[in-house]
Amino acid sequence: MLKSNKKSGFTIIEVLCALSIFSILFNCIMCIQLNNMKLKKYNKELSSFLYVLEAVKKEIIFNSTYSSIKNLNNNGRKYIRKDKLTIDNIKTLKLEEIFDVDKENDDSYLVMKITDGEVLKIELELYVKINNREEKIKCEFYKGNYI
């Protein structure tokens, strides 16, 4: 009689295949998590810059006069440098203290462009560099001399 030489259990090939499949799946999951973390950081930084842009806009609309905005434009003070692009600075400092004549080679800054007239057309352009990506965010609104 012939005896069956069949052994139960896993061979080394089966174990290596399972281990390689597991390591490929683990690698994919880690890449997804890393990209997720980068995206969260990017969104957090971008949203903080957007809050500052909105705060500058509201400060100009509600707390500044037509003549003070014209004076800023006439004096060439149309840049906000990166070190002053914070909510605290916008809330505590006057616009004359926030806006500067030049941007001093910052990678993130805000530019205010004004078109003269009875109603001022104000364009705020925010240039930011986050994760080596340069973004330009533009906001346009009007400020009138209604007196």
Side-chain angles (χ1 to χ4, degrees), residues 2 11 16 28 31 35 69 100 106 117 122 128 137 142 146:
L2 293 171
T11 63
L16 285 176
C28 290
C31 286
N35 286 337
I69 301 300
D100 291 314
D106 282 342
I122 302 171
V128 295
I137 304 164
Y142 299 91
Y146 301 116

Side-chain angles (χ1 to χ4, degrees), residues 99-111:
F99 281 94
D100 291 314
V101 177
D102 61 346
K103 59 181 173 140
E104 291 189 2
N105 297 326
D106 282 342
D107 53 356
S108 299
Y109 59 93
L110 187 135
V111 180

Side-chain angles (χ1 to χ4, degrees), residues 2-48:
L2 293 171
K3 281 190 172 182
S4 175
N5 229 2
K6 191 175 185 181
K7 295 179 184 177
S8 62
F10 295 111
T11 63
I12 190 77
I13 299 294
E14 292 171 331
V15 171
L16 285 176
C17 287
L19 194 58
S20 64
I21 291 171
F22 174 75
S23 64
I24 289 171
L25 289 175
F26 182 75
N27 220 1
C28 290
I29 291 171
M30 291 309 292
C31 286
I32 290 170
Q33 286 291 4
L34 183 62
N35 286 337
N36 186 22
M37 288 172 41
K38 286 180 184 178
L39 190 60
K40 279 184 181 179
K41 179 184 174 196
Y42 175 80
N43 285 339
K44 183 178 178 183
E45 289 184 38
L46 187 62
S47 66
S48 69

